[in-house]
Amino acid sequence: MTLAHFLAVNPPYWVETLTKIGIGLVAVLLPTGALVYLFLFKMMSFMQSRLGPMEAGPYGQLQLLAEFGKFLQKEDIFPSKADRFVFAAAPFVVLVSTFMLVLVLPAGPDTHFIDLNTGIYFAMAVSSISVIGILMAGWGSASKYSLLGGIRAAGQLIAYELPLVLSVVGVVIMAGTLNMKGIVAAQADFGVWFIIPQFLGFLIFLVAIQAELTQPPFDMPVAESELVTGYLTEYSGIRFLLFFIGEFATAAVFSAIGATLFLGGWTIPFVDANAEIMDYIGPLVLAGKMILIAFLIFWFRITYPRFREDQLQRLAWKFLIPLSLFNIVVTAIFKVVF
Amino acid sequence: MPQLPGMLVGLGVTAKTFFKTVFPDGPTKPPAPSKGAHTVQYPHEKEAPPARARGVIALHHDNCTACMLCARECPDWCIYIEGHKELAPPRRAGGKPRQKNKLDRFDIDFALCMYCGICVDVCPFDALFWSPEFEFSEMKIADMLHDKGRLADWMHTVPEYPAYEAGAEVKIKKLPSPSS
Ligand code: SF4
Ligand code: SF4
């Protein structure tokens, strides 16, 4: 999204970069806060027949600010044997991976940060950087719980990266492009959103991002009954908060990616996808679709108990990966035949 | 995939709870989660604990003989009793004056108490009672030590014993009235 596009001036490079950073921060933090409040605070409470936060602001809407203030005040504790640099840097690695994901998300015909020809490929590649951050956290903490949690997370994320990528391949075959905007345009041309022809792929994608986000029922890396909180055990204060933001921001971004791939991104049926107005309502439409997918993620999170480690690996390698390969083959055959 | 139907039922359970909480009066009425939720918003409305709940211990000190049984059985040693002997007027005219234990001090330190109820069970003279009252937190931990007067004040919050079930042995215990 260029500033010139909105202001009809051509700002210097640094102004444009700063503006982009600011918009990027808002674009990540606002949906994240919305998801945490809507789903983690409120929907989860209602599904457990309680009210959730009610005191801070009307219906607890300011609770997030209160939590933020609380984490800021806390001491930033380093374990005495920790590898200090690795320990300190880990949350930022996770966060950077999230912020880089947003870069390729289009929210309108001209509303985007960068228009990469290999957008979805870039997103899948960048999303796996977070594994490194989690491994760094597990290793740097010098604690057996953290190490076990980090290794579990690495095993899980690698196992579920495959079905995730393979389920995306189905969409890519149908769209004939790796460009995120191209995929959105292909859905507009195709007539229906890819969730209909790629329903199997959508299901695999949902399960895989659930595991990628280490949300229950796939939260073995932080299994509190076995590992305290896994790789987060030794973190406190602001660094814990960064991990927390990273977790839910990634949930928001992955939901948005899912909305782009399967629910037609910023487009609305029967409205010209390239109309000028879509630059302004496109982000809202995308946010609405993102909340729809996030709703599914959090609904599963709230409903299901945790898998066992071996069940999780079996599900990925023996079931999801063959299924997604089958999905690719069927999609390819249809693409060639019709 | 034999687990699949069960997983769908699970989703149904959470969804049903959600709608029951948000729309307690049915989907046509406006949402009222504070009515649908099972929880009580404590500082705003007070929860009504069951009559036999273990909130705080009340002392009916006219019944207490300073026999020290409760203090000795208390696992935390958080009951402090002091007393002295007194001469009471004889029962019958011309009789010998009776000896009576007079209670000087009876404190329970609720900062130590673990609410096991052994003292209430063990008292042979019906001097200790459970009250469901639970609002007695303090800013200073030393104030959690309730003395004789404060423990006696809890007596009026002790509920009457509930009636036994039909067909049970009819031997209903009566609370001692403050005047007796
Ligand atoms: S209820 Fe409290 S005071 Fe009574 S015996 Fe148990 S610990 Fe001691
Ligand atoms: S056991 Fe009962 S009678 Fe004896 S000292 Fe304790 S409260 Fe008093």
Side-chain angles (χ1 to χ4, degrees), chain B residues 59 63-71 81 106 122-125 127-128:
Chain B
L59 169 74
N63 276 5
C64 178
T65 59
C67 71
M68 299 273 185
L69 280 180
C70 53
I81 301 174
F106 191 105
V122 90
C123 174
F125 300 106
L128 293 177

Side-chain angles (χ1 to χ4, degrees), chain B residues 57 74-76 78-79 108 113-119 130:
Chain B
I57 294 164
C74 173
D76 289 348
C78 64
I79 306 181
I108 298 184
C113 172
M114 58 168 166
Y115 304 92
C116 63
I118 288 176
C119 52
W130 275 116

